Amino acid sequence: MRLLLLFCWAMLAAGSFSVGQELEVTPETFIAYKILEVFPRGRRVVITCHSPQVPPPVTYSLWGSQGTEVAKKVVKTGDPASFSINVTLKSRPDLLTYSCQAASPWGVHSASTKLQMYWELWTKPVSQLQANFTLLDKASGPRVEISCQVSSGSPPITYSLVGKDGSVHTQQRPNYGQPANLSFTLTNTSNWLQCQAENDISVQSSPFKMVPPGCDQKRQAWQSPLEGPVFVYCGRTHHLKE
Ligand SMILES: *[C@@H]1O[C@H](CO)[C@@H](O)[C@H](O)[C@H]1NC(C)=O
Ligand SMILES: *[C@@H]1O[C@H](CO)[C@@H](O)[C@H](O)[C@H]1NC(C)=O
Ligand SMILES: *[C@@H]1O[C@H](CO)[C@@H](O)[C@H](O)[C@H]1NC(C)=O
Ligand SMILES: *[C@@H]1O[C@H](CO)[C@@H](O)[C@H](O)[C@H]1NC(C)=O
């Protein structure tokens, strides 16, 4: 289609007609998704379509695989349209492809790129794991809280707090897009801990961290915004003399 338009445009230009106005503007339509809920073989997602350059009212239609229209919405403002849908796992990845089309009453229309839901929802490895360790001195005793999150990866994602010997101290499966908040009660012996994120496709781990922090470890490496200096836990009492 785009090729054809280009071809027409080229012909018009060559013939020195002065009607290129509509063809010159090729409004872009964006498609994006967010996972709302994860079921064993399905996910509830919201797909948003936006064509900021198409003058409202804009009729947005969501197209599924093989040219089927899934839903349609008219948006009278310049806002995006949202479609909440259930995507169920299909054995054929090509059956899980979505695209949006935006149309205005004045004939401007534009289609988005294709969103390949199968690959997005079922085959994306976990990537860019971030783990923040924070020391807290609560009434119940000193603890370290670890906040872990990956920047992308197909759900569900399980986060674990793992020791150097491979033991799993605690596990959490937060809602998609939320960080996991793992907690570890400090003892008077040191432990090496890492956060691990795992989905059906891959595993990623943060570097090991020693808790309580070793006496030779830099304090800056630790965040303790509310609880004051970290060195209180560094070998306990004898380090207060430091
Ligand atoms: C989506 O699927 C889930 C589980 O299969 C179901 O509970 C829910 O009602 C469905 N939602 C819609 C909008 O179809
Ligand atoms: C970790 O800390 C950084 C810097 O404060 C912050 O940008 C990031 O969102 C935090 N990540 C997690 C998973 O808490
Ligand atoms: C972890 O804490 C953050 C910030 O308080 C919160 O948004 C998130 O929902 C929490 N995660 C879980 C699994 O409770
Ligand atoms: C840790 O504390 C326990 C008692 O709370 C004590 O028996 C043990 O010797 C201590 N271990 C170290 C390495 O200080």
Side-chain angles (χ1 to χ4, degrees):
M1 189 60 175
R2 191 171 290 167
L3 263 184
L4 194 64
L5 279 180
L6 279 177
F7 185 55
C8 290
W9 173 238
M11 292 225 308
L12 288 170
S16 75
F17 287 95
S18 57
V19 284
Q21 211 56 31
E22 282 160 52
L23 291 178
E24 245 179 322
V25 187
T26 44
E28 271 188 289
T29 298
F30 302 98
I31 188 165
Y33 75 98
K34 214 173 124 186
I35 297 158
L36 299 176
E37 228 174 323
V38 178
F39 302 105
R41 289 177 59 80
R43 281 93 177 85
R44 198 158 67 83
V45 300
V46 60
I47 295 182
T48 43
C49 302
H50 197 204
S51 197
Q53 291 143 345
V54 171
V58 186
T59 303
Y60 286 102
S61 39
L62 180 67
W63 291 79
S65 326
Q66 299 170 337
T68 50
E69 195 182 75
V70 176
K72 193 180 240 177
K73 251 179 204 175
V74 180
V75 180
K76 297 200 172 81
T77 60
D79 293 338
S82 304
F83 300 98
S84 177
I85 56 164
N86 263 346
V87 181
T88 311
L89 181 60
K90 299 259 188 342
S91 49
R92 280 177 50 197
D94 60 307
L95 293 177
L96 287 175
T97 299
Y98 291 89
S99 68
C100 287
Q101 201 173 69
S104 85
W106 298 286
V108 183
H109 58 90
S110 144
S112 71
T113 55
K114 289 190 158 76
L115 186 58
Q116 301 207 296
M117 281 310 217
Y118 180 84
W119 308 109
E120 293 291 332
L121 297 178
W122 278 280
T123 70
K124 252 192 171 173
V126 287
S127 76
Q128 291 177 30
L129 173 65
Q130 209 175 36
N132 293 339
F133 287 63
T134 309
L135 282 171
L136 298 167
D137 198 1
K138 288 283 161 76
S140 52
R143 279 188 302 134
V144 59
E145 281 194 353
I146 302 103
S147 170
C148 309
Q149 193 169 22
V150 292
S151 69
S152 73
S154 297
I157 299 170
T158 304
Y159 294 89
S160 312
L161 191 60
V162 181
K164 239 181 185 156
D165 58 358
S167 57
V168 174
H169 295 289
T170 170
Q171 258 185 346
Q172 207 173 61
R173 187 179 280 185
N175 287 338
Y176 187 73
Q178 295 290 311
N181 305 310
L182 307 168
S183 181
F184 183 81
T185 303
L186 294 179
T187 59
N188 59 358
T189 54
S190 308
N191 290 274
W192 289 92
L193 298 175
Q194 68 175 184
C195 178
Q196 204 172 71
E198 180 172 14
N199 67 2
D200 286 345
I201 301 102
S202 71
V203 183
Q204 225 180 40
S205 302
S206 70
F208 276 105
K209 199 143 190 163
M210 188 157 101
V211 298
C215 303
D216 52 344
Q217 275 190 321
K218 285 199 180 77
R219 274 174 222 160
Q220 299 93 281
W222 286 80
Q223 300 176 329
S224 193
L226 304 171
E227 308 294 331
V230 162
F231 58 85
V232 175
Y233 300 116
C234 181
R236 288 282 168 101
T237 47
H238 70 271
H239 261 276
L240 290 170
K241 288 187 236 139
E242 204 177 49

